Amino acid sequence: MSIDAYPQEHVGREVRPAPDRYRNVLGKYKIDRSADCISCGKCVEICEYGVHQKPKGYAFTLRPQDHLCIGPECAESESSCINQCPQNALTMRRNPSTESMGDPRWSSDLIVSTWHMAETGHAAPPHLNSRTGDSGGGFDKIRFKFETGKFADPTPVPADEIGQIDLGLDLNRSGDNRPQVHIDSPVYGGGMSFGSVSIHAILAKARAMTAWNSFTCTGEGGYHDRLRPYDDHVITQVATGLFGVREETIQRVRIVEFKYAQGAKPGLGGHLLGDKNTPPVARMREAVAGNALFSPFPFHSVYSVEDHKKHLDWIKEVNPNCLVSVKVSTPTDVDMVAVGSYYAGAHIVHLDGSYGGTGAAPDIAKKNIAMPIEFAIPKVHKFLLAEGIRDKITLIASGGIRTAYDALKAIAMGADGVVVGTVEMVAMGCVRCACCESGRGCPRGIASTDPELMQQMTLEWATQRLINLNNAWREQMIEVLARLGMKSIRELRGRSDVLCCISDEATPGGGATESEPVFAGQVTR
């Protein structure tokens, strides 16, 4: 099909409201209104957050918009709707439906705060913890020094300082005379293949990253024709199953990625169940519909750096203008893998840690095999420095990047930028039910190939949610850099001295204490 069949629509970066697509929006708190309510409208007058509504012409007050409630901070004050209700008809409690969502890494607060950013385009309010999860380790235990104890600085950052900060990143540092590729933010979208997620999710990712001058990745499911208008912002992936890999698609893009391993499924390869291999998916993957599809764990043609170089040379010959990225898992010798990739001719080394993957990734692999990305980044960064090649290759990290703060912590540890995936699905309404791989897949139509379920999510709505999320992240990143006195994201790379680790021991006055920098001795740029 010709490119003219799918013309590119201009999608700007403008933040626009993108409310939840379901009537009963889940929030952290729930407001109950008893039968004693007389619909006097007092709560509507008092609440400044829009929780209570009584449209003109209505004789009664509508069901509370629970997701807008900020909780005890308001409810316990004398001027709150609860305390001012003449009938004492209002009560507040934690929303049990929301509390049942998530897990220690993706807490209910992180899910709801991501929804808020996707809806509004700005940071979540303080009653939602939008910076860390509840795992008690990794990124959740690491803070920027200005967030804690004696280093805490609540002073607002002047607007003129914020306006001078640059988040841009150049991806080609090799000096090999191939074109430079610049992105306006140190974040791009991870590989989600057609078959694992819906075409609406894929296109929304592509449109949003085009608007933000960044990239999305096809995953290993082939290059859908509807992505053609966004070729300059798509990374096409060559994985072990070679599904849908053709010279024509390799020639269309500016970045080609070899997926040698995935942090969420190291040693296992990919697996698409037969129920999700619908006729359109099968055509894309050049397979038989209804059959389960497997990607082997290794490329059986690669057993040395020399073999690796042949792969990269093949892509460079087919497309003389593209950059080549190498996606690898995080074994204990990942630093050697990164150096080998540099000498094989890679422009980008993409480290994928063990916390990533959708609900289709098996927990036994995610939690027990690959190295957490927090350990892999400084290990590789330090080794590349020792080899004298750190400034000649771009280091990208993924596998558990949930927030703008996670992304910045990864960069402070030594990465140049990050790749995200799960957070994009959460922005589109994912509730982390882990049904991604089954039958019809996602009940919200995100990780589904079922035509009926896919229609629950329109392309325009999903695109705007991702544009809003990127704007919220950008605002947070700029504010952090301003607080650190930095003018660009490039200054943050390797600055582990701006981080500290929160101890497990509570202080006598309550709370936690901060220790010295997490990676002492590695303060390098």
Side-chain angles (χ1 to χ4, degrees):
M1 190 172 292
S2 71
I3 189 172
D4 296 330
Y6 302 110
Q8 180 176 349
E9 300 175 24
H10 174 71
V11 180
R13 298 181 183 180
E14 294 83 8
V15 170
R16 299 188 183 94
D20 197 287
R21 51 199 163 111
Y22 296 98
R23 177 181 298 174
N24 297 324
V25 183
L26 293 174
K28 185 172 183 176
Y29 301 103
K30 188 168 181 62
I31 301 293
D32 295 312
R33 181 182 287 130
S34 72
D36 294 330
C37 175
I38 58 174
S39 286
C40 66
K42 183 72 172 179
C43 56
V44 179
E45 297 174 14
I46 291 173
C47 182
E48 60 182 287
Y49 302 103
V51 175
H52 305 284
Q53 298 179 14
K54 188 178 181 181
K56 188 176 181 179
Y58 278 66
F60 55 89
T61 307
L62 301 183
R63 178 188 177 279
Q65 300 294 301
D66 300 316
H67 66 290
L68 300 175
C69 179
I70 68 169
E73 179 184 345
C74 176
E76 294 173 1
S77 69
E78 286 298 321
S79 60
S80 70
C81 60
I82 292 174
N83 290 317
Q84 292 294 315
C85 177
Q87 300 298 114
N88 293 319
L90 299 174
T91 55
M92 187 207 72
R93 58 191 170 103
R94 290 290 295 268
N95 190 337
S97 297
T98 302
E99 287 192 310
S100 68
M101 294 190 305
D103 53 56
R105 279 197 54 78
W106 266 100
S107 65
S108 59
D109 264 31
L110 274 188
I111 294 173
V112 175
S113 63
T114 301
W115 290 347
H116 177 92
M117 289 186 281
E119 177 178 343
T120 66
H122 305 292
H127 74 280
L128 295 173
N129 181 0
S130 60
R131 298 183 181 184
T132 60
D134 297 330
S135 70
F139 288 132
D140 291 341
K141 202 171 183 179
I142 298 168
R143 300 288 190 278
F144 286 98
K145 283 186 174 180
F146 67 77
E147 297 181 87
T148 61
K150 62 184 178 182
F151 300 105
D153 178 15
T155 307
V157 180
D160 58 337
E161 291 185 23
I162 288 178
Q164 298 173 11
I165 293 173
D166 177 21
L167 296 182
L169 188 65
D170 290 336
L171 299 180
N172 184 7
R173 306 178 178 195
S174 65
D176 64 354
N177 296 320
R178 283 183 171 251
Q180 181 58 267
V181 174
H182 178 86
I183 54 179
D184 291 346
S185 171
V187 180
Y188 57 81
M192 294 186 189
S193 60
F194 179 55
S196 67
V197 297
S198 72
I199 187 60
H200 286 177
I202 290 171
L203 290 174
K205 282 159 52 71
R207 296 173 90 220
M209 287 306 175
T210 298
W212 281 102
N213 188 35
S214 190
F215 285 86
T216 187
C217 181
T218 63
E220 61 177 313
Y223 203 122
H224 201 286
D225 277 340
R226 292 184 68 181
L227 284 173
R228 284 177 177 266
Y230 314 102
D231 283 349
D232 285 347
H233 299 277
V234 174
I235 300 171
T236 191
Q237 196 174 82
V238 180
T240 56
L242 298 177
F243 293 120
V245 174
R246 298 188 297 274
E247 289 192 354
E248 181 267 332
T249 57
I250 292 170
Q251 291 167 346
R252 278 170 29 194
V253 298
R254 294 194 289 166
I255 302 178
V256 178
E257 180 173 84
F258 272 102
K259 187 176 87 171
Y260 285 100
Q262 182 177 343
K265 293 183 278 188
L268 298 178
H271 181 198
L272 185 74
L273 294 182
D275 286 344
K276 294 191 76 173
N277 184 18
T278 60
V281 173
R283 283 194 297 273
M284 186 63 53
R285 298 193 180 213
E286 299 174 339
V288 178
N291 283 5
L293 300 178
F294 296 87
S295 296
F297 163 58
F299 277 101
H300 290 294
S301 55
V302 178
Y303 290 97
S304 66
V305 174
E306 290 76 19
D307 293 340
H308 183 18
K309 187 175 186 304
K310 290 178 183 177
H311 263 192
L312 272 59
D313 287 346
W314 160 49
I315 294 298
K316 290 178 179 180
E317 182 65 26
V318 172
N319 185 344
N321 296 312
C322 75
L323 305 187
V324 182
S325 173
V326 175
K327 182 178 181 179
V328 296
S329 183
T330 52
T332 55
D333 63 346
V334 64
D335 48 356
M336 294 295 295
V337 173
V339 171
S341 295
Y342 165 77
Y343 285 110
H347 301 91
I348 301 167
V349 172
H350 175 175
L351 305 178
D352 193 35
S354 59
Y355 299 138
T358 64
D363 280 348
I364 193 171
K366 293 174 68 171
K367 297 179 179 179
N368 296 286
I369 302 179
M371 183 189 303
I373 197 65
E374 299 94 336
F375 291 102
I377 296 169
K379 183 179 177 72
V380 172
H381 174 67
K382 186 176 181 180
F383 198 63
L384 293 174
L385 280 168
E387 289 289 305
I389 57 174
R390 181 63 189 89
D391 290 328
K392 297 180 181 179
I393 193 161
T394 300
L395 184 63
I396 298 293
S398 67
I401 308 295
R402 305 155 298 175
T403 69
Y405 276 73
D406 283 354
L408 293 171
K409 291 169 189 176
I411 294 170
M413 291 176 184
D416 291 298
V418 299
V419 165
V420 297
T422 300
V423 69
E424 293 180 309
M425 293 200 297
V426 173
M428 290 186 274
C430 169
V431 296
R432 302 281 293 156
C433 66
C435 293
C436 303
E437 87 290 351
S438 60
R440 299 173 76 194
C442 171
R444 292 201 159 198
I446 306 164
S448 177
T449 53
D450 182 271
E452 183 180 357
L453 289 175
M454 281 166 37
Q455 295 309 312
Q456 292 188 45
M457 183 177 73
T458 66
L459 176 56
E460 290 72 21
W461 179 86
T463 300
Q464 190 61 54
R465 295 276 287 196
L466 294 178
I467 288 172
N468 289 351
L469 178 70
N470 276 274
N471 189 76
W473 276 36
R474 181 179 180 83
E475 289 179 351
Q476 290 177 299
M477 288 182 172
I478 288 175
E479 182 178 7
V480 170
L481 290 175
R483 291 193 181 280
L484 295 174
M486 298 179 183
K487 297 298 184 184
S488 78
I489 193 69
R490 298 175 293 281
E491 293 182 50
L492 181 61
R493 190 191 77 185
R495 287 292 306 275
S496 57
D497 61 309
V498 303
L499 302 174
C500 63
C501 185
I502 301 300
S503 73
D504 294 322
E505 300 177 2
T507 63
T513 59
E514 70 268 1
S515 68
E516 286 304 303
V518 190
F519 306 107
Q522 296 184 25
V523 183
T524 47
R525 297 175 188 268

